[in-house]
Amino acid sequence: MKKGKISEIFFSIQGEGVFAGTLSYFVRFYGCNKRCFYCDTFYALKGKFCTMSVDEVVEKIPKGQNVVITGGEPTCQIEFLKDLTKKLKKRRNFISIETNGFKSLKGVDFDFVSFHIEKLRKKEKKFIREISKKLFCIKVVVTKKTTFSDVKKVAEFLKDFKKATLILQVQSRGNQILKNSVKKAFSFAREISDFYSSVRVLPQIHKILKLK
């Protein structure tokens, strides 16, 4: 039986995106293919982890509850992810996956995807097309490096996808929301809303509430 590296499993609220505030069980996969300078979960890259079977993970999650599979990067352990989501789906769990699209989600059971990108390239477009039959959002963390041109390209591409939402996530440092990021995200969203209405500006609300 396949085993996966799991950083942690916990219960909290979804702090990001279109389901913000929703009570959820989180399964944080260990390891990631990227090293984002604004990452707030470095412990899932270099910290401790447990090696667990699918059954051991599933035992910690009640049937029918919301499950957020996050990281690190879940697709770094793609075969384990496929097995885990298959088992969770049989238990009627609502499955959300947070990913940077490192590997395709073909063969993975899910209800919703939060796809984190920085720039829209051929690879990102292909990944969006693959997940577009289900609800999904594109998350862009607005940092000092984020340009309006990059965000505009994402919004223009998403116009053809009815199940998509663009999330401009305000950058934070620890539990502190960066004011410049708020201003920048709001300015971008205001201009984008002239041609694309499914755009949202959101912080990580679990940090505001001082929850995990």
Side-chain angles (χ1 to χ4, degrees):
M1 182 178 290
K2 297 183 185 72
K3 291 197 173 187
K5 295 179 179 179
I6 303 298
S7 176
E8 60 183 346
I9 300 173
F10 62 97
F11 181 69
S12 186
I13 64 165
Q14 172 57 278
E16 303 180 358
V18 296
F19 291 110
T22 305
L23 295 170
S24 304
Y25 286 83
F26 289 78
V27 181
R28 189 179 304 285
F29 279 40
Y30 182 85
C32 187
N33 59 303
K34 300 182 76 174
R35 298 293 184 270
C36 301
F37 72 90
Y38 48 82
C39 178
D40 57 0
T41 53
F42 275 116
Y43 60 88
L45 282 67
K46 297 182 179 180
K48 296 179 180 179
F49 63 86
C50 295
T51 301
M52 303 177 71
S53 68
V54 167
D55 287 342
E56 288 172 332
V57 174
V58 169
E59 283 175 4
K60 295 182 178 295
I61 301 168
K63 293 180 180 180
Q65 297 294 309
N66 297 311
V67 180
V68 179
I69 300 176
T70 186
E73 170 51 41
T75 65
C76 286
Q77 302 182 64
I78 191 64
E79 296 304 321
F80 184 77
L81 179 62
K82 290 177 183 177
D83 290 348
L84 177 60
T85 56
K86 183 177 181 180
K87 193 71 172 281
L88 289 170
K89 184 53 65 177
K90 287 181 179 178
R91 293 162 58 90
R92 303 184 307 279
N93 293 100
F94 184 91
I95 303 169
S96 298
I97 297 177
E98 298 180 344
T99 179
N100 64 38
F102 177 53
K103 291 184 180 179
S104 169
L105 290 179
K106 288 181 179 179
V108 176
D109 282 309
F110 62 87
D111 299 287
F112 174 79
V113 172
S114 175
F115 179 28
H116 173 210
I117 69 174
E118 293 175 343
K119 292 182 181 292
L120 186 68
R121 294 160 291 204
K122 288 184 179 179
K123 181 182 177 181
E124 286 77 12
K125 289 180 179 179
K126 180 181 178 181
F127 191 87
I128 289 170
R129 292 188 183 100
E130 286 180 358
I131 64 175
S132 62
K133 291 183 179 180
K134 300 286 184 73
L135 289 173
F136 71 97
C137 75
I138 302 301
K139 182 181 81 173
V140 178
V141 179
V142 180
T143 73
K144 60 184 180 181
K145 296 182 179 181
T146 309
T147 68
F148 178 72
S149 175
D150 288 336
V151 175
K152 183 181 178 182
K153 287 176 183 177
V154 175
E156 288 174 338
F157 184 72
L158 291 181
K159 287 193 293 184
D160 294 330
F161 299 93
K162 294 182 179 180
K163 296 184 178 182
T165 303
L166 174 59
I167 303 294
L168 301 183
Q169 183 169 295
V170 176
Q171 185 187 358
S172 24
R173 187 173 294 121
N175 289 332
Q176 185 71 34
I177 293 173
L178 303 187
K179 291 182 179 179
N180 287 340
S181 179
V182 175
K183 292 178 181 178
K184 193 173 185 178
F186 179 73
S187 173
F188 286 1
R190 187 171 184 175
E191 291 193 54
I192 286 169
S193 66
D194 289 338
F195 65 88
Y196 183 68
S197 61
S198 294
V199 58
R200 308 285 185 271
V201 176
L202 288 169
Q204 295 172 293
I205 65 169
H206 57 291
K207 293 186 176 182
I208 296 172
L209 299 175
K210 297 182 180 180
L211 296 171
K212 187 166 182 63

